[in-house]
Structures are given as C-alpha cells and as structure tokens.
Amino acid sequence: MDNGRLAPPTTNDVLERLRSLEYQGLLDNLLRYYYELKTEDDPCYFVNIIQVFLQDVPKTIDSMREILYQDFVNFARLKDLIVKVKGSANWIGALKMSQASSNLLHQFEIASKSGCMSALTEVKVVFDELRTHLDSLIQLELEVFAK
C-alpha cells in the first residue's frame, strides 16, 4: 500500500482469480493456460479470447431459444447450435457450462422439446454466472495491462 492506496493488480492476481474459478468448478485450467501464452507481441490475446466467447454465446443461446419456440422445430439447426455452444465452452475451459451443454445435447438426442427448453435455461443461467466472473476478469487484466 502507498499513501492508503491499494497496489495495482498484478499478473499473479489474475492467475489467482483464475484458480479461484477453477476451484469453484466454473473453469478447468485451459483459460489459465491461455493466459500464460500471452506475449508482449500480443498482450490482448487473453482478453480477446474471452470477449469473443462473451459476444458469441448469447447470440447462439438466443437463436436456440427462437428455434425451440417455433411450432415446427428445425432440429438440424438446433443441433448445430448446441454443438457450437458446447464447443465454445470447451474452447475456453468453461467446465460447468460444458456440462450444462452436454445435458442440452442429451435432451436433444432423446427428442424432448420441453427437456431442451429446460436444459437451455440451465445453459443460460450458467453462462450468466460465468459472464459476471469473466467480465470481472477482463477488467482485472485491463488494469494489469494499463500499468
């Protein structure tokens, strides 16, 4: 501390936050691995990965919701979107979201429209929880980057 001010965050603070999210079961260690891949040539690599995820997934969830609320469900398109969300979750190591997406895929495979609707709600809830943490993580990383 300096004159009552908190010390600016460090790389270790970001890593500790990532470990905390891993401990909570929201993430596996993949996002921490991506953080460690960050270089001086591409210091925004880590933030960009998260931002792409946070921008893409809500659109995909909304598209799935629209499909499920149709009288005639386009199951081929729905499966593509489920696989896309599950792949996105796996891509950043969003463990809890990947598990929720697996449940959604299972409901799709047993052809349960109501099960899909319920599982999609679960995916959205998990995503919203994850988004809060990832937004905070981005802010922390930008503070580290700014110093």
Side-chain angles (χ1 to χ4, degrees), residues 26-28 30-31 34 48-61 64 79-99 101-102 123 127 130 134:
L26 289 170
L27 298 175
D28 62 20
L30 193 56
L31 200 56
Y34 291 150
N48 289 341
I49 286 173
I50 296 172
Q51 287 175 331
V52 167
F53 175 79
L54 293 177
Q55 290 168 4
D56 189 52
V57 170
K59 294 174 193 172
T60 307
I61 289 172
M64 286 190 285
K79 184 176 183 182
D80 290 345
L81 295 171
I82 293 169
V83 169
K84 181 179 179 182
V85 165
K86 184 168 175 26
S88 295
N90 289 337
W91 178 59
I92 69 158
L95 186 60
K96 193 172 179 182
M97 189 169 164
S98 178
Q99 292 166 343
S101 298
S102 291
V123 168
F127 174 75
L130 184 60
L134 293 178

Side-chain angles (χ1 to χ4, degrees), residues 14 18 31 34-35 38 44-50 137 141:
V14 175
L18 285 165
L31 200 56
Y34 291 150
Y35 186 73
K38 180 180 70 161
C44 296
Y45 174 73
F46 176 75
V47 169
N48 289 341
I49 286 173
I50 296 172
L137 193 59
E141 173 60 8

Side-chain angles (χ1 to χ4, degrees), residues 3-131:
N3 293 336
R5 291 186 179 144
L6 293 175
T10 66
T11 297
N12 285 334
D13 294 321
V14 175
L15 290 170
E16 187 57 38
R17 181 82 54 92
L18 285 165
R19 283 186 200 95
S20 172
L21 294 173
E22 291 167 21
Y23 180 77
Q24 294 173 49
L26 289 170
L27 298 175
D28 62 20
N29 66 350
L30 193 56
L31 200 56
R32 185 165 35 100
Y33 174 74
Y34 291 150
Y35 186 73
E36 292 167 352
L37 288 178
K38 180 180 70 161
T39 66
E40 287 183 21
D41 294 338
D42 192 6
C44 296
Y45 174 73
F46 176 75
V47 169
N48 289 341
I49 286 173
I50 296 172
Q51 287 175 331
V52 167
F53 175 79
L54 293 177
Q55 290 168 4
D56 189 52
V57 170
K59 294 174 193 172
T60 307
I61 289 172
D62 288 345
S63 294
M64 286 190 285
R65 182 174 286 121
E66 288 173 19
I67 289 170
L68 285 168
Y69 280 100
Q70 298 297 314
D71 290 333
F72 299 100
V73 175
N74 180 344
F75 284 102
R77 178 71 180 133
L78 180 61
K79 184 176 183 182
D80 290 345
L81 295 171
I82 293 169
V83 169
K84 181 179 179 182
V85 165
K86 184 168 175 26
S88 295
N90 289 337
W91 178 59
I92 69 158
L95 186 60
K96 193 172 179 182
M97 189 169 164
S98 178
Q99 292 166 343
S101 298
S102 291
N103 181 40
L104 177 56
L105 185 57
H106 173 72
Q107 294 302 318
F108 169 83
E109 289 170 347
I110 63 172
S112 172
K113 182 177 178 178
S114 63
C116 284
M117 293 173 96
S118 178
L120 181 58
T121 298
E122 178 188 358
V123 168
K124 174 84 168 91
V125 167
V126 171
F127 174 75
D128 288 343
E129 177 186 8
L130 184 60
R131 177 178 25 207

